[in-house]
């Protein structure tokens, strides 16, 4: 089933908040910290990050940092949940017309006196200041193109078609412009007949855009998602409904759709932006361990009653165990190539 770091309580967000402070200090940026989250979900991660930075930030800067955040969101339901969690209540529900007709469709003051602004698109957010971009389990939800290598036609694209007599969807393959471009890739030419690959142009474009913004205005990006740092010859696009994997071509609009993130392609996208540098990816387990999550869980374990200690152990294992999210999830960072190597990524 689809799993989430947010099901383990606030510790994950605390770690991201602590890393953000370390990087901000490492880059010698002023104590005006601006976060930008793409795909903020219910707002849980942003809340936990803001709480952490708001509480321990004064120890880093000698005074409370000035906090602000931009959230990229188009779901009415999620916008309401984010506003309630980050600002304490819902001032007025936004309409689809407001979301898509206004660059900044909602502005509120919330946790730790932070100014929160909501946008429908990354391009609408000004690039007037350094920012920490957060993409946690975001890129896996973006569309992918699928390709299969055949003996007669070379690479063909996997498409979805419909049986007109019964309106039933099915998979088929076609020679397309995109598959012809794949034919010209020298690395992929070495793959055997029958190999299958996925590519998400949308993910590459967003990551390249974020890298360009960092080059222009400073800051860093953290990308946390499941995937690999290599060419995969298996298709990973899948659907989940009620925590069970189902046929993606059925129950349209009622399922969570996801595909593994190709970090190798993301690094290539960053490399195409002059002045930007990708660090990692490293495993989530490595990242969290270097950030001291073990000690944090030990503190929590010693403070909770015995009947709750098992849940602390489970949360740690869920985030860090190789059999759970520890190795499956990767963490990649983007900075300017002139900035110091961010903490946790020195050996990547």
């Amino acid at each position: 089933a689809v799993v989430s770091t947010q099901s383990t309580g606030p510790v994950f967000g605390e770690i991201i908040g602590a890393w953000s402070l370390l990087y901000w200090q490492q880059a010698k940026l002023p104590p005006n910290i601006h976060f930008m989250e793409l795909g903020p979900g219910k707002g849980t991660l942003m809340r936990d990050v803001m709480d952490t930075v708001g509480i321990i930030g004064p120890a880093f800067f000698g005074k409370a940092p000035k906090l602000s955040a931009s959230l990229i969101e188009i779901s009415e339901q999620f916008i309401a949940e984010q506003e309630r969690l980050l600002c304490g209540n819902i001032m007025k529900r936004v309409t689809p017309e407001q979301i898509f007709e206004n660059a900044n469709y909602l502005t509120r003051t919330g946790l730790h006196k932070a100014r929160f602004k909501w946008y429908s698109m990354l391009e609408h957010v000004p690039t007037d200041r350094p920012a920490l971009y957060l993409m946690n389990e975001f890129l896996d939800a973006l569309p992918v193109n699928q390709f299969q290598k055949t003996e007669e036609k070379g690479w063909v694209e996997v498409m979805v078609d419909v049986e007109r007599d019964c309106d039933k969807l099915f998979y088929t393959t076609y020679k397309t412009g995109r598959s012809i471009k794949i034919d010209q890739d020298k690395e992929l030419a070495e793959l055997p007949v029958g190999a299958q690959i996925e590519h998400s142009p949308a993910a590459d474009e967003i990551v390249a855009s974020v890298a360009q913004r960092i080059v222009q205005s400073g800051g860093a990006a953290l990308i946390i998602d499941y995937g690999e740092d290599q060419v995969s010859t298996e298709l990973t696009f899948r659907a989940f409904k009620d925590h069970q994997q189902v046929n993606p071509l059925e129950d349209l609009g009622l399922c969570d759709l996801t595909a593994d993130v190709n970090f190798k392609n993301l690094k290539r996208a960053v490399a195409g932006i002059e002045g930007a540098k990708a660090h990692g990816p490293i495993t989530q387990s490595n990242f969290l361990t270097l950030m001291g999550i073990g000690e944090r869980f030990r503190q929590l374990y010693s403070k909770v009653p015995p009947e709750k200690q098992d849940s602390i152990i489970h949360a740690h294992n869920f985030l860090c165990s190789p059999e759970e999210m520890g190795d499956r999830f990767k963490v990649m960072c983007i900075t300017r190539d002139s900035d110091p190597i961010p903490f946790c990524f020195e050996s990547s």
Side-chain angles (χ1 to χ4, degrees):
V2 174
V3 294
S4 171
T5 52
Q6 301 313 304
S7 61
T8 59
V11 175
F12 182 79
E14 291 174 0
I15 294 292
I16 301 302
W19 183 91
S20 301
L21 283 168
L22 285 170
Y23 180 78
W24 210 259
Q25 187 180 59
Q26 186 181 26
K28 296 181 171 57
L29 294 169
N32 303 315
I33 306 179
H34 184 69
F35 290 94
M36 196 173 305
E37 186 172 9
L38 289 79
K42 296 180 179 180
T44 308
L45 177 62
M46 182 61 73
R47 177 200 63 188
D48 297 339
V49 167
M50 282 291 187
D51 276 341
T52 302
V53 174
I55 292 170
I56 69 175
F60 281 77
F61 303 110
K63 61 179 181 179
K66 184 178 179 180
L67 303 178
S68 58
S70 298
L71 297 96
I72 315 301
E73 184 61 75
I74 60 173
S75 164
E76 296 171 68
Q77 177 182 344
F78 278 148
I79 292 165
E81 293 189 48
Q82 294 157 14
E83 186 181 3
R84 182 184 295 112
L85 197 62
L86 299 173
C87 305
N89 57 35
I90 299 173
M91 183 179 294
K92 184 179 180 182
R93 285 189 176 272
V94 296
T95 65
E97 291 75 18
Q98 290 173 318
I99 294 172
F100 292 104
E101 292 177 5
N102 299 281
N104 167 213
Y105 58 81
L106 179 63
T107 301
R108 294 287 309 275
T109 299
L111 293 173
H112 303 282
K113 300 180 181 179
R115 195 70 165 167
F116 294 94
K117 292 189 175 184
W118 279 261
Y119 299 85
S120 61
M121 298 176 64
L122 177 64
E123 291 75 13
H124 292 162
V125 187
T127 55
D128 57 348
R129 69 186 91 174
L132 281 166
Y133 297 80
L134 303 178
M135 287 174 270
N136 178 49
E137 297 180 65
F138 168 67
L139 297 178
D140 64 86
L142 298 180
V144 295
N145 300 129
Q146 297 183 331
F147 304 92
Q148 180 176 331
K149 190 172 184 180
T150 65
E151 189 166 0
E152 294 182 354
K153 298 181 180 180
W155 287 100
V156 293
E157 186 165 3
V158 180
M159 310 287 281
V160 176
D161 209 338
V162 59
E163 293 183 7
R164 297 182 180 180
D165 56 342
C166 61
D167 289 337
K168 183 178 180 181
L169 299 177
F170 65 95
Y171 291 110
T172 187
T173 59
Y174 291 97
K175 196 69 181 178
T176 65
R178 287 186 290 263
S179 65
I180 292 173
K181 190 175 181 180
I182 297 293
D183 281 328
Q184 299 166 355
D185 190 305
K186 294 181 180 180
E187 181 181 1
L188 298 179
E190 303 298 322
L191 295 179
V193 171
Q196 298 172 308
I197 62 169
E198 287 171 326
H199 179 221
S200 176
D204 294 353
E205 290 169 10
I206 288 174
V207 167
S209 178
V210 167
Q212 183 63 62
R213 294 170 69 94
I214 289 172
V215 170
Q216 179 179 343
S217 304
L222 269 187
I223 299 171
I224 306 166
D225 226 314
Y226 44 86
E228 299 297 334
D229 186 23
Q230 60 187 11
V231 175
S232 174
T233 56
E234 296 181 358
L235 302 183
T236 65
F237 174 67
R238 54 207 182 276
F240 292 91
K241 183 181 180 183
D242 299 328
H243 303 290
Q244 299 294 323
Q245 189 166 343
V246 297
N247 185 343
L249 303 186
E250 298 178 358
D251 295 325
L252 301 182
L254 301 176
C255 303
D256 290 319
L257 303 178
T258 183
D260 288 10
V261 173
N262 188 320
F263 284 93
K264 186 172 185 177
N265 285 344
L266 299 187
K267 290 194 298 183
R268 184 180 296 146
V270 175
I273 303 300
E274 185 178 357
K277 184 173 183 179
H279 307 270
I282 59 177
T283 65
Q284 177 173 286
S285 176
N286 191 13
F287 175 80
L288 295 177
T289 300
L290 289 170
M291 283 300 300
I293 197 171
E295 178 57 33
R296 179 61 178 136
F297 272 120
R298 280 190 285 273
Q299 293 174 356
L300 293 174
Y301 185 88
S302 66
K303 294 178 180 179
V304 300
E307 62 270 18
K308 292 187 177 181
Q309 289 178 339
D310 282 347
S311 65
I312 300 296
I313 296 174
H314 172 75
H316 179 269
N317 290 340
F318 186 66
L319 287 171
C320 298
S321 170
E323 290 76 28
E324 297 287 348
M325 299 174 70
D327 287 354
R328 182 105 170 82
F329 276 64
K330 307 295 189 299
V331 185
M332 188 177 107
C333 181
I334 305 170
T335 66
R336 288 173 171 170
D337 59 11
S338 58
D339 286 348
I341 298 174
F343 187 65
C344 297
F345 294 92
E346 294 89 347
S347 301
S348 65

